[in-house]
Amino acid sequence: MRWMWIDRIVELDKGARCVALKNISMAEEHLHDHFPATDDRPSKPIMPAPLIVEGMAQTAGILVGHARDFAEKVILAKVGLAEFDREAYPGQTLIYEATLDRIDPAGAATSGVIHQIDYAAGGEKQPFGRVDLMFSHIDQNMQGLAFPEHNFVFTDQFFDLLRNSGFAV
Amino acid sequence: MAAMSREEIQEKVTEVLVEALGVDEDEVEPTAALGADLGAESIDYLDISFRLEKAFGIKIEQGEMIPESALQNPDYVSDGQVTDAGLEELKKLMPYADFAVMEDDRSVNKVVDVFTVDALVKFVELKLAG
């Protein structure tokens, strides 16, 4: 299963900023259930908010991982803020802009801004929401817990995404 | 810049804890333990240290707020209990904390309970004093 909620990286400034795009498509099966038609109204496909948070987590996670050359296992540890001004529909694009606020051996903090492009409404970039996250470098945990040696976070899927977006890894 | 008063530090620390832990301002009492009373989990301590850095313009190194390396030292922690030498070391490394709660219970899990709001304010005071 591909659990990728970003389609392309368009900007990657090491240790500073990462920008990714997500094109929402009716081919995504979950949109047929979120929400189906009822007797009273037609179907209303809306991208679920947790998947928008996941999209930002993948964008910001790449930023945090790249800052340490993908040597750390970067795990989403805390959603400090998730605010959305509107809904996101198929045919629209979300633009995730993640900024690295702080990184140290134990983890990192990022702040994120999301914009939306609605092609049916002029195609202008509109503010959509904000998502601030905390990541843990899990091998550096305080309990001294051991995790598998291979980096199960940054799999080939992530590296392929970076390569296909034109970034050397 | 003029030195910050205790009250000003307390106010900013309270703001940091309200934002990081999602607690109400009136829950942030000086004696409240960050973990036991305010619900802080391990990632929250990192979040709090990042936010303190930003709020006060200070740099907090890993292990400075909670000296985890001492807690992994077998001379200081044995069978999950902080030894006499360990308690002395922690008192030296964490001069801002009151270890009275550990007099009767030396469980290593108890160490985070010394991290009260008051201890955090004193920690910042010491950092600002250089």
Side-chain angles (χ1 to χ4, degrees):
Chain A
M1 179 185 173
R2 288 180 187 276
W3 187 253
M4 296 300 292
W5 293 99
I6 47 179
D7 297 326
R8 196 167 179 87
I9 309 288
V10 293
E11 194 181 320
L12 181 57
D13 183 1
K14 190 167 186 171
R17 180 177 147 87
C18 183
V19 181
L21 301 183
K22 163 66 183 165
N23 290 316
I24 307 165
S25 165
M26 269 308 283
E28 294 168 42
E29 270 190 38
H30 61 91
L31 291 178
H32 297 264
D33 297 319
H34 193 269
F35 296 91
T38 65
D39 292 341
D40 307 331
R41 57 156 178 76
S43 64
K44 191 172 186 188
I46 301 170
M47 181 160 176
L51 295 181
I52 299 175
V53 174
E54 176 64 22
M56 179 59 84
Q58 292 184 359
T59 307
I62 286 173
L63 173 64
V64 173
H66 185 243
R68 298 274 162 109
D69 297 317
F70 299 107
E72 298 286 354
K73 300 182 186 84
V74 176
I75 294 290
L76 175 62
K78 183 173 177 178
V79 179
L81 173 77
E83 286 180 344
F84 303 116
D85 306 328
R86 61 194 87 226
E87 290 165 343
Y89 305 112
Q92 297 180 337
T93 297
L94 293 180
I95 306 169
Y96 297 107
E97 301 173 8
T99 302
L100 185 61
D101 294 331
R102 181 75 170 82
I103 186 165
D104 87 353
T110 63
S111 53
V113 174
I114 306 173
H115 285 89
Q116 180 183 42
I117 298 177
D118 183 356
Y119 301 95
E124 294 292 316
K125 191 172 140 179
Q126 302 287 344
F128 179 85
R130 293 146 299 282
V131 177
D132 296 344
L133 303 171
M134 291 283 303
F135 293 89
S136 175
H137 293 147
I138 55 165
D139 287 333
Q140 319 291 337
N141 66 86
M142 280 196 276
Q143 287 78 21
L145 298 174
F147 291 91
E149 200 171 316
H150 76 280
N151 197 327
F152 53 82
V153 177
F154 294 109
T155 59
D156 286 344
Q157 285 188 21
F158 279 100
F159 292 125
D160 286 348
L161 175 66
L162 280 161
R163 286 188 200 102
N164 291 335
S165 300
F167 295 94
V169 285
Chain B
M1 192 172 81
M4 290 180 85
S5 69
R6 185 84 201 269
E7 288 68 30
E8 287 170 317
I9 295 173
Q10 174 103 39
E11 205 172 302
K12 274 194 172 188
V13 165
T14 300
E15 277 174 32
V16 162
L17 294 174
V18 165
E19 281 180 18
L21 303 176
V23 291
D24 290 333
E25 205 174 312
D26 56 13
E27 290 178 74
V28 188
E29 292 174 353
T31 55
L34 269 53
D37 298 321
L38 302 182
E41 296 178 13
S42 60
I43 192 67
D44 293 319
Y45 292 94
L46 187 64
D47 189 9
I48 290 164
S49 89
F50 286 175
R51 287 175 190 269
L52 288 176
E53 286 185 334
K54 207 169 174 181
F56 293 98
I58 54 178
K59 181 90 168 76
I60 303 169
E61 301 295 343
Q62 188 187 17
E64 199 178 344
M65 220 161 81
I66 301 176
E68 57 252 39
S69 59
L71 299 176
Q72 287 164 13
N73 183 330
D75 291 339
Y76 298 149
V77 178
S78 175
D79 292 332
Q81 300 288 307
V82 177
T83 63
D84 289 345
L87 192 56
E88 286 313 303
E89 182 68 9
L90 287 173
K91 284 178 182 173
K92 262 189 261 171
L93 293 169
M94 302 170 72
Y96 41 86
D98 180 355
F99 282 86
V101 290
M102 294 204 67
E103 293 304 329
D104 297 329
D105 184 351
R106 290 287 190 87
S107 164
V108 69
N109 297 327
K110 199 82 184 162
V111 174
V112 289
D113 287 350
V114 305
F115 237 94
T116 59
V117 173
D118 193 48
L120 204 57
V121 170
K122 285 179 183 155
F123 171 76
V124 172
E125 258 185 326
L126 286 171
K127 288 290 292 180
L128 289 173

